Amino acid sequence: MRKKRKIYRWTATALFLGYTIPLLAQTFRPARSEGALLHQLATRYPAIMRIDTIGVTHSGIPILAVKLSAMPADTLPAVLFVGGIAPTDITSPAVCVGLLQRFLARWDSVQALLQGRAVYFIPRLSPEPLEGFFERPQRAYVGNLCPEDEDRDGQVDEDDVEDLDGDGVVRWMRIYDVPEAEWTYHPDDSALAQKVDRSRGEVGAFQFLPEGRDNDGDVQINEDPRGGVNIDRNFTRRYQPYRAHHGRHPFSEPETRAIGFFLFQHPEILVVFGWTPYDNIHFPWRLRYPENPTKPNRFRKDSLAYRRLVQRLDSLCPFVGEETVPPGSFGEWVFYDAGRLSLCAPAWAYPAVDTMTLPGEIEPIEIRALRWAQQQQDTILFRPWRSITHPDFPDHRVEVGGFAPFALWNPPLDTLPLLPQRWMPVVLDLLRQLPRLHLSAQVKQEQAGVYRVDLIVRNIGELPTHTVVGRAVRALRPLHVRVHLADGQHLLNRPEHFVLPQPLQPGEQQRLSLWIVGRGTTKITVGSPSAGRQTVSVRLQ
Amino acid sequence: MNWQKLWWLVVVILVSFPGRGSRAQTQSVEMVPSALKALGAPNNPKIEVAWNRYYDWAGVTALVRRFAETFPHLCRLEQIGTSYEGRPLWALTITNFQKGKPEDKPAMYIDASIHANEIQAVEVALYTAWFLLESYGNNPFITELLDTRTFYIVPGQSPDSRDRFMHSANNPHSPRSGQVPRDDDGDGLINEDPPDDLNGDGYITQMRVRAPGGRWKVDPEDPRRMVRARPDEEGEYYLFWTEGYDNDGDGQINEDGDGYYDPNRNWGWMWRPHYVQYGADWFPFSLPETKAVSDFIKSHPNILGGQSYHNAGGMILRGPGAKEDRIESEDLKLFDLMGKFGEQILPGYRYLVTHRDLYTVYGGETDWMYGAEGILPFVNELWTPYNMFRKQYPKDNWFGAGKDQYKFDRYLLLGEAFVDWQPVAHPQYGMVEVGGFKKTYTRMPPSFLLEEECHRNMIFTLWHAYHLPLITLDSVQVIPLGQQRYRVTLIIHNHRAFPTRLQVDVKNGITRPDIVTLQGLPVLAGGVHQTVFSPTFEAQQAHPERLKVERIPGFGAVRVSWIIRGTGPIQITFDSVKGGKYQKRVVVR
Ligand SMILES: [Zn+2]
C-alpha cells in the first residue's frame, strides 16, 4: 500500500511541475481521468498525435481513438490496438496509455518507423464496466450500463449486488444448507468452489453467488444486477441470441457501433490487435471460408499471412490467454466481418503454476491467482471466507470472501509499470511488417513514337497489401493504378486508371505493360490506403 | 344551381384548401360530390386523395401531415429519424386515443418500400392509414379495430431513393439501394459510373447496337421487342440491359452506380457479411434508415403483427429467410392461417416461404422482427402479372411472360409503357438505339389497378390486426373462506386467434410473461390453475399479488386465483407486453 501512495504522489508532482508527461507513472485510471490525460497529450504533441471521439456510451463516457504518426493528417498503412474489451480488463487501457507515453518519450528513435505508417490506439472500447474498479464498494459489472431485465419480470436492474461485510469490495457468498445448493469445496483447495453434478446424484454443500441480498423479495438473489451487455458477445460472427448480456441483437450497443464505423471508415488499418482473455497467438485459428473443408479456402492467402504473423509473435507476446473464443466476439469479427488481420491476447496473465496437478473442473486461472495471493499474503486479492449474518438467511450459515472483482484478470499495481515495455516490441514489430510498395519501370521503344513501359509493382513489406477477406467485405481497397499522361500521349492497352484486384503478398511482384503513344513524361501512381502510395516517372523520348 | 348543390360546393371548397401551405395533391374546385356511395372507399372523405397515381416524398409528407391534422383524436405523426440525404422518416400512430393509450393495446406494424424502387408499397401503406381514419365511426369493424388495437405505419423506409426514382432517370429496378455513398469497385471513387439517360427522356431503358456479331434480332410479331436469334441463324444487334456509357474511362459500362447495398440485408438477425449475403453492408443497422426504423420497432414492444410491403410478383411471404433458421410450430399455424386467407382475398398471390420459394435472405427485416422481437410478420410482394390477363404464371415468373407484357401494353395501355427505339449518338459505340419499357412498367400497377392493389392488401392487414389478442377478464368469483378471507377467481379470456406471446417469444424469453395484479386488499396467496376447470392452483412463491402467466393462448383462457383478506374494492389488472392492458374493478363484500 505504501508503494501505491508513492506512485500517486509522484504523478501529482509531475503534473504540477509540468514535466514531460511521457514519464508519468503507470496506474489504473477511471475513464474520465484517462481521457483528460490523452487530451492533454494530444494538445502537447499536435504534430504527431491526434485524438478522436468515435462514440459515446449509454452513460455518456466518450470512446476515444488516438493516432500516432509522423504525418497524422495522411492516410497511411496502420495497425490498431484495442483495449478495454472484456468487462474485467482494466489492465489493457493502462498498457495503451503506457505505450503511447513510450512512443512520445522516444520519438527520435521511432520517428522513422512512423514516417510512412501510423499506429492507432483505442484504449477502452467498453469503458462502463471498468468504472466498477473505482467505485466504493468496488464491484464487477457483467457488461455496459444498458438496462437489461435479466429475469424478465418487467423490472430493470432491480436486484443489484451489495457489500454485505463492509470490506469495501463486492465479493462472493456461500449459502449453506439450501435446497438449490449446487457447489462444494474444491478438492485441491477448500478456498475454491466447484460445481457438483446433480444429475449424477451429487449433493451440493452450498450455493455460490455474488455478494448481495434479495432486494425485490422474489426469493432470488442478485438475479437482475445493474447492466448490461458484454461488448465481447455483441459482434456478428457466431452471435448467439437470447443469452443474458449478449444484447438484444448484434451491434445493439453504442460501443459495438463505434468500432464498426471506425474500422470501415479507416481502410488503412490492416492489422488489429485486441487485448482479450482469449488468445489466437499461442492458440492459432484456422481461418477459412467456406467452412466446409472439402471446398477450396477463399481466405487461404490471408490464413498464410496470419500464420506467419503469429509465428513471429509467439515469443514476443508476453502472456498466454485462453484457447476458447466466445460467440459474438470482437476478435473473430475483426477478421471475418471487418476483413483485417486479427490478433488477440491478454494484456497480462498470472504466471503459470504446475498445471498437471489441476483437475479439469476449475479454471486454471483461479488456481494461479489463488497461489499468487497466498504467496504474497494478499488478503485484498483473495479474502478468506468469513461467516456473516445474512438478512435473507438469518438461520443459515453464510460466508463472504473470495476473489476481489478484478483480481483474476489484472496484475497488482506494482507490476503494471513493467507491462508497456514488454508490449513495445510487439507494436514495433507489427509496424515494421506493414506492406510497402516499390515501383520500377523500364521503357522500350517498340516503333517510332510507340513505347512499352514495363512497370513492376513489388511489395517489399512483410504483410500482404490487403486481405482477401477485407476486399470480400468491402472494407479494404485493392491497389489502384493511375497513369498520368503528358499532353498528346495516349495509352493503348489499358484505361488510365484501374485496380489490381489480387493483393500482393510479401515479396510478390506484378508486372504490367503499358503501351503509350507520344512523347513526354508519364507519371504512374500505384497504391491503396493499407499499402501506401508510390509514384514513378518515366520519360518517353 | 339549387341550394343543395351550392352547399356541396362550399364543402368542397373548404376541403380543398386545408391551409398551412401544404402541397395540394388532388384538390380542385370542380370536385363533384358523390351522389351514391360505391361500396368500399369512404364516401365524400374529409381528405380527398387520388389512389390512381404515385406520390414523391414531399407528397407523402403532405399527406401524412394532413392525416394527423385532420384526425387528431385518431392519428399522431412523429419523425423517427432522418434519411442519409436529410429527409424526414415518418411514423403514424393510429388508434382511438380516447380508449386507452396506444402502447396499452396490441399493435399492428406496417411499413413500405425498404427497396425504394418498389414504389406502390408506399401508396398501400398510405391508403391503409387513410381508410382507417376516414372509416372510423362509419364502419363498425374499423371502429372496433381502432378502439382495441393500435396501428403503427411507417409509410416509406427509403425516401432519398424514392425521390431519385421519380425525379431522375431510372429503370424499374433502380434504385433498390438507399443513397449512402459506397465504393463498389474499391477504386476509391464513389458512384463514378452510373447508368446514363442518353436520350434525356427521364427513363433508363435498353440500348441496342446494330453491329457485326450481334446475337439479337427484332421480334417479327412485335417490332418493339428484341429476341435472341435462333442458334441456326445470324443475329443483327447487340443488346445492353441499361442505357449508358463508360463515365470513368475504366473500360466498363455502368459498373458503379448508386452505392450498392441492400437495406433489407442489414438487420440484426442472422446477419452475414457481404461475401455470404450480397449487399449486407458494414454491420447490422449501419444505415441511418434501418437504424431509425428498427429503433422505432424496438421502442414499441406492443407490436405483435407485422407487415412489410415490397414488389413484385404477387406473393405473401413468410420466413424464415434462411433454411438454418426456424419458425416455431405453433407460430407456423398462425402464419398458415393468415397466409391461406391472404391467397383468397388477393387473387393471383401465392403464400410462399422466402428461403424455399424465393431465395435465401440473411439479415432480413421481417426475420429480425420474428426472431429478435417476437412479431409475426408477412412480406407482400405487390403487383402480380396475373392482373394483366387474369392468368397465372409459374411462381418464379414475377413479371409475367415478355409477350404478354407487350400485349398488355398495346391493348390496355395503348402503348404508353414503351419508349420507342430511337437513334442516339453514343460516345464509345457510335450510333446506337435507345428504347424499352418505362420505369413505371412491370413492377407497378397502372392507374386502374392501383386502387384495387391498395385495398386488397390493406384488407389483409386489417384481418391480421383483427386476430391480435382481444382479452376480457371474465367470471370474477369471490368465495368467502371464513375469517375475513376470500378466494377471488378470474378467467382471462382471449377472443382471437393470436396468443399474447408467440411461441418463439415464450421459448426464448424475448419479452416478460403476462402479469395479473390484484390491488386494494392484502393478498395471502395466488397462482395459476392448470386448466380453467382445475379447482387447485400452483401457488406462486413470491409476490402473489403479481402473478406471472406465461401467456394467454389464441381463442384460449387462463384461470387464476388469489386468497385475500378483508373486504372492499379491489382492482385487477392484466398487463401483457404484446397482448394489451386491461382492468377490472370488483368490490369484495
Ligand atoms: Zn423488395
Side-chain angles (χ1 to χ4, degrees):
Chain A
M1 281 297 95
R2 255 190 71 198
K3 214 175 261 166
K4 191 173 173 182
R5 221 174 298 127
K6 214 161 90 189
I7 288 167
Y8 278 131
R9 202 185 311 138
W10 205 92
T11 310
T13 316
L15 282 170
F16 178 73
L17 295 176
Y19 282 169
T20 48
I21 286 180
L23 293 173
L24 278 181
Q26 286 298 299
T27 183
F28 298 120
R29 291 185 176 85
R32 304 257 175 217
S33 84
E34 182 183 280
L37 173 62
L38 293 175
H39 278 289
Q40 212 174 348
L41 287 171
T43 317
R44 186 161 305 186
Y45 298 98
I48 50 175
M49 178 174 164
R50 291 199 156 192
I51 187 161
D52 273 313
T53 299
I54 63 165
V56 179
T57 67
H58 289 282
S59 64
I61 304 177
I63 302 166
L64 301 176
V66 172
K67 179 183 187 181
L68 274 187
S69 171
M71 300 175 279
D74 292 5
T75 300
L76 301 168
V79 182
L80 165 68
F81 288 82
V82 185
I85 299 167
T88 45
D89 173 18
I90 190 78
T91 304
S92 58
V95 170
C96 264
V97 173
L99 285 167
L100 194 63
Q101 290 168 332
R102 286 182 86 79
F103 266 98
L104 296 173
R106 287 144 213 237
W107 186 249
D108 289 345
S109 63
V110 293
Q111 191 179 7
L113 191 59
L114 288 175
Q115 207 58 241
R117 306 180 182 86
V119 56
Y120 286 94
F121 294 100
I122 296 175
R124 49 184 94 194
L125 182 58
S126 182
E128 283 172 346
L130 307 185
E131 296 297 294
F133 185 86
F134 305 96
E135 287 176 22
R136 287 293 169 265
Q138 187 183 70
R139 49 90 47 93
Y141 286 103
V142 288
N144 67 10
L145 294 184
C146 167
E148 181 168 330
D149 178 11
E150 275 95 340
D151 59 339
R152 298 291 189 269
D153 66 347
Q155 292 162 332
V156 173
D157 295 355
E158 78 284 1
D159 198 352
D160 203 1
V161 295
E162 280 90 15
D163 175 21
L164 294 176
D165 65 345
D167 71 339
V169 180
V170 178
R171 296 176 187 271
W172 299 90
M173 234 171 26
R174 292 173 164 185
I175 306 166
Y176 288 83
D177 304 317
V178 283
E180 57 273 19
E182 45 181 3
W183 294 76
T184 188
Y185 302 112
H186 192 273
D188 277 10
D189 199 317
S190 61
L192 300 178
Q194 78 174 19
K195 225 171 183 169
V196 298
D197 188 348
R198 294 173 105 188
S199 68
R200 287 182 8 212
E202 295 174 13
V203 183
F206 49 82
Q207 186 60 324
F208 187 62
L209 292 168
E211 192 178 343
R213 50 171 309 188
D214 174 18
N215 304 65
D216 57 342
D218 65 349
V219 209
Q220 289 173 288
I221 296 174
N222 306 338
E223 81 287 353
D224 194 347
R226 191 153 172 241
V229 177
N230 181 348
I231 292 310
D232 210 9
R233 306 289 183 277
N234 191 237
F235 289 90
T236 35
R237 176 78 183 175
R238 293 197 296 117
Y239 176 82
Q240 279 185 0
Y242 309 132
R243 298 273 198 92
H245 319 307
H246 286 201
R248 196 157 165 181
H249 53 75
F251 278 84
S252 58
E253 301 307 301
E255 295 87 351
T256 1
R257 290 176 63 79
I259 185 73
F261 280 117
F262 180 78
L263 265 192
F264 277 87
Q265 287 161 355
H266 287 85
E268 72 274 25
I269 296 173
L270 181 66
V271 181
V272 179
F273 193 110
W275 281 294
T276 56
Y278 43 91
D279 180 341
N280 76 348
I281 288 164
H282 305 100
F283 304 104
W285 295 343
R286 290 178 29 159
L287 303 177
R288 87 173 337 272
Y289 178 79
E291 267 140 57
N292 181 351
T294 63
K295 298 211 170 135
N297 183 3
R298 260 180 80 180
F299 301 152
R300 191 180 63 89
K301 289 200 165 164
D302 298 343
S303 175
L304 293 173
Y306 158 76
R307 286 279 173 164
R308 281 195 303 273
L309 257 185
V310 296
Q311 263 168 28
R312 290 177 67 119
L313 294 177
D314 182 77
S315 54
L316 282 181
C317 274
F319 303 103
V320 177
E322 295 163 5
E323 185 170 6
T324 312
V325 185
S329 72
F330 171 76
E332 286 195 343
W333 170 77
V334 164
F335 179 77
Y336 284 102
D337 297 347
R340 321 306 163 97
L341 293 169
S342 174
L343 301 168
C344 310
W348 177 84
Y350 281 104
V353 291
D354 186 5
T355 47
M356 298 300 289
T357 62
L358 296 178
E361 289 286 313
I362 279 258
E363 291 290 308
I365 195 158
E366 296 188 347
I367 290 279
R368 292 189 200 179
L370 182 64
R371 295 291 174 255
W372 177 286
Q374 287 164 343
Q375 257 172 34
Q376 310 285 319
Q377 299 184 326
D378 189 335
T379 56
I380 294 179
L381 191 72
F382 189 96
R383 193 174 192 93
W385 297 95
R386 284 187 307 197
S387 288
I388 61 151
T389 309
H390 194 289
D392 300 325
F393 298 91
D395 306 330
H396 287 255
R397 180 175 152 211
V398 178
E399 293 173 341
V400 166
F403 288 110
F406 289 81
L408 290 180
W409 311 99
N410 300 282
L413 190 61
D414 51 0
T415 306
L416 192 62
L418 309 174
L419 295 182
Q421 72 203 51
R422 299 195 65 181
W423 279 105
M424 196 66 178
V426 175
V427 183
L428 295 178
D429 190 64
L430 285 175
L431 281 170
R432 277 190 207 106
Q433 293 200 53
L434 285 172
R436 266 183 305 152
L437 297 178
H438 181 266
L439 306 185
S440 58
Q442 281 187 331
V443 185
K444 245 190 175 178
Q445 184 159 10
E446 294 286 335
Q447 301 285 330
V450 179
Y451 302 88
R452 195 182 87 195
V453 178
D454 283 330
L455 175 74
I456 295 176
V457 186
R458 192 177 160 82
N459 177 5
I460 55 169
E462 296 182 65
L463 288 172
T465 50
H466 68 266
T467 56
V468 179
V469 61
R471 213 35 231 131
V473 299
R474 297 188 171 182
L476 297 182
R477 301 208 191 122
L479 290 175
H480 184 233
V481 182
R482 188 173 276 280
V483 183
H484 305 270
L485 297 167
D487 278 351
Q489 283 188 325
H490 298 277
L491 182 57
L492 296 183
N493 65 330
R494 291 241 181 209
E496 285 172 37
H497 71 94
F498 54 91
V499 296
L500 306 175
Q502 294 305 318
L504 285 184
Q505 299 301 318
E508 198 182 355
Q509 63 182 44
Q510 185 161 354
R511 181 187 294 265
L512 297 164
S513 290
L514 304 172
W515 289 71
I516 297 171
V517 184
R519 293 187 176 169
T521 302
T522 309
K523 272 197 337 184
I524 305 160
T525 303
V526 182
S528 74
S530 57
R533 203 168 295 277
Q534 295 292 332
T535 300
V536 66
S537 287
V538 286
R539 287 196 61 182
L540 309 183
Q541 54 195 7
Chain B
M1 181 178 283
N2 63 31
W3 277 108
Q4 206 184 353
K5 276 186 185 161
L6 193 63
W7 163 241
W8 272 115
L9 187 65
V10 170
V11 171
V12 169
I13 291 169
L14 286 176
V15 169
S16 307
F17 296 96
R20 266 169 260 199
S22 51
R23 279 178 43 162
Q25 294 293 330
T26 60
Q27 286 69 25
S28 66
V29 184
E30 291 78 33
M31 177 69 78
V32 178
S34 153
L36 176 63
K37 183 184 188 300
L39 301 178
N43 208 30
N44 293 314
K46 288 190 177 151
I47 305 169
E48 282 286 1
V49 189
W51 297 110
N52 57 4
R53 51 157 102 168
Y54 299 101
Y55 299 94
D56 67 3
W57 203 247
V60 171
T61 299
L63 283 173
V64 293
R65 286 217 169 108
R66 207 172 303 169
F67 293 166
E69 284 162 12
T70 311
F71 298 95
H73 55 298
L74 296 173
C75 179
R76 278 178 205 152
L77 176 66
E78 69 186 289
Q79 185 179 345
I80 61 168
T82 305
S83 71
Y84 176 75
E85 289 182 333
R87 290 177 182 81
L89 291 160
W90 299 118
L92 292 163
T93 301
I94 297 178
T95 188
N96 179 1
F97 297 118
Q98 273 123 39
K99 291 207 172 165
K101 295 184 204 153
E103 61 271 26
D104 289 346
K105 305 177 191 180
M108 178 75 201
Y109 169 82
I110 298 168
D111 73 27
S113 213
I114 189 170
H115 295 135
N117 65 314
E118 300 171 3
I119 291 292
Q120 75 271 36
V122 170
E123 277 69 23
V124 176
L126 290 172
Y127 180 90
T128 305
W130 173 80
F131 190 96
L132 286 170
L133 296 171
E134 296 283 358
S135 306
Y136 185 87
N138 300 326
N139 180 309
F141 180 87
I142 301 290
T143 306
E144 198 209 62
L145 271 188
L146 294 193
D147 284 346
T148 58
R149 42 224 61 218
T150 300
F151 286 81
Y152 297 112
I153 300 178
V154 171
Q157 288 204 53
S158 193
D160 297 345
S161 289
R162 182 178 183 83
D163 278 1
R164 207 55 63 99
F165 180 94
M166 293 190 178
H167 299 302
S168 44
N170 275 293
N171 69 20
H173 316 294
S174 67
R176 179 177 163 96
S177 234
Q179 294 296 320
V180 180
R182 294 284 188 249
D183 171 19
D184 290 356
D185 53 356
D187 64 358
L189 304 170
I190 308 291
N191 301 345
E192 76 279 13
D193 196 355
D196 308 276
D197 183 12
L198 297 176
N199 58 345
D201 64 349
Y203 299 100
I204 298 294
T205 52
Q206 295 181 346
M207 200 161 72
R208 70 182 184 190
V209 189
R210 196 196 291 259
R215 294 298 296 143
W216 291 80
K217 64 172 190 177
V218 169
D219 184 354
E221 284 179 39
D222 187 331
R224 303 178 302 170
R225 183 164 176 241
M226 299 302 290
V227 292
R228 279 180 202 281
R230 289 195 319 268
D232 62 348
E233 66 178 357
E234 218 176 355
E236 221 181 326
Y237 288 95
Y238 287 86
L239 186 66
F240 296 86
W241 295 110
T242 56
E243 197 180 328
Y245 54 90
D246 178 11
N247 306 57
D248 57 343
D250 67 349
Q252 291 174 279
I253 287 189
N254 307 341
E255 84 288 355
D256 190 358
D258 289 332
Y260 188 71
Y261 55 82
D262 186 335
N264 198 29
R265 308 292 184 271
N266 187 241
W267 294 66
W269 184 258
M270 296 195 78
W271 183 94
R272 296 290 182 273
H274 185 79
Y275 55 90
V276 181
Q277 173 58 67
Y278 191 75
D281 205 51
W282 292 351
F283 51 81
F285 308 121
S286 56
L287 304 165
E289 297 87 0
T290 54
K291 175 76 166 82
V293 175
S294 65
D295 281 350
F296 179 81
I297 296 172
K298 281 158 71 176
S299 61
H300 294 85
N302 56 324
I303 295 170
L304 180 56
Q307 177 71 44
S308 187
Y309 286 117
H310 290 236
N311 80 24
M315 303 175 212
I316 302 157
L317 290 167
R318 71 154 169 91
K323 67 171 185 298
E324 54 270 50
D325 199 1
R326 57 174 291 153
I327 301 286
E328 300 298 334
S329 59
E330 279 184 39
D331 303 337
L332 191 56
K333 287 178 191 157
L334 294 172
F335 275 114
D336 288 349
L337 174 78
M338 292 312 304
K340 284 171 185 160
F341 167 73
E343 282 185 328
Q344 293 173 43
I345 60 164
L346 287 158
Y349 282 55
R350 293 182 174 98
Y351 168 50
L352 301 173
V353 182
T354 305
H355 80 86
R356 194 188 65 200
D357 303 307
L358 194 62
Y359 41 57
T360 295
V361 173
Y362 293 108
E365 177 191 9
T366 47
D367 290 317
W368 174 80
M369 284 166 69
Y370 178 74
E373 296 296 313
I375 297 167
L376 195 123
F378 285 98
V379 165
N380 282 21
E381 296 285 357
L382 302 167
W383 173 247
T384 164
Y386 174 87
N387 277 352
M388 292 195 294
F389 298 107
R390 309 292 194 233
K391 172 173 125 189
Q392 191 64 293
Y393 297 93
K395 73 171 186 230
D396 45 1
N397 190 344
W398 309 337
F399 307 113
K403 265 187 184 182
D404 290 342
Q405 292 174 350
Y406 281 84
K407 232 165 80 182
F408 185 77
D409 174 43
R410 188 182 324 149
Y411 296 139
L412 283 115
L413 305 175
L414 308 175
E416 197 196 353
F418 197 86
V419 177
D420 282 326
W421 295 101
Q422 64 178 115
V424 182
H426 188 281
Q428 281 115 5
Y429 297 166
M431 280 313 276
V432 304
E433 285 175 276
V434 162
F437 285 135
K438 293 176 178 171
K439 62 189 174 189
T440 38
Y441 195 47
T442 68
R443 280 180 172 268
M444 299 158 67
S447 63
F448 56 96
L449 292 172
L450 175 58
E451 184 159 353
E452 176 177 358
E453 186 148 289
C454 290
H455 189 84
R456 285 184 182 274
N457 281 280
M458 171 198 72
I459 290 293
F460 178 62
T461 61
L462 298 190
W463 286 99
H464 192 166
Y466 171 85
H467 275 302
L468 299 181
L470 184 69
I471 302 291
T472 53
L473 306 180
D474 294 350
S475 335
V476 182
Q477 286 182 308
V478 180
I479 302 159
L481 302 175
Q483 295 177 314
Q484 280 287 300
R485 282 167 172 76
Y486 298 87
R487 175 183 179 138
V488 179
T489 296
L490 160 77
I491 289 181
I492 306 158
H493 183 179
N494 181 0
H495 302 266
R496 296 292 155 79
F498 276 56
T500 51
R501 296 166 78 207
L502 299 182
Q503 195 184 359
V504 67
D505 185 348
V506 172
K507 185 176 161 191
N508 301 298
I510 295 172
T511 63
R512 63 160 169 81
D514 298 340
I515 289 170
V516 211
T517 316
L518 188 151
Q519 286 168 298
L521 288 171
V523 178
L524 308 175
V528 182
H529 295 251
Q530 202 157 38
T531 71
V532 286
F533 304 111
S534 36
T536 57
F537 60 84
E538 181 86 34
Q540 183 170 302
Q541 236 191 334
H543 296 297
E545 74 285 355
R546 202 167 175 270
L547 293 177
K548 290 185 187 174
V549 180
E550 196 171 75
R551 63 164 168 177
I552 313 299
F555 296 127
V558 168
R559 183 176 172 196
V560 298
S561 287
W562 291 277
I563 310 300
I564 58 168
R565 193 179 60 221
T567 52
I570 56 169
Q571 179 173 297
I572 296 167
T573 309
F574 175 76
D575 181 355
S576 167
V577 175
K578 293 187 182 294
K581 204 167 170 181
Y582 307 83
Q583 281 187 343
K584 186 144 199 159
R585 282 163 210 278
V586 183
V587 179
V588 178
R589 61 183 118 215

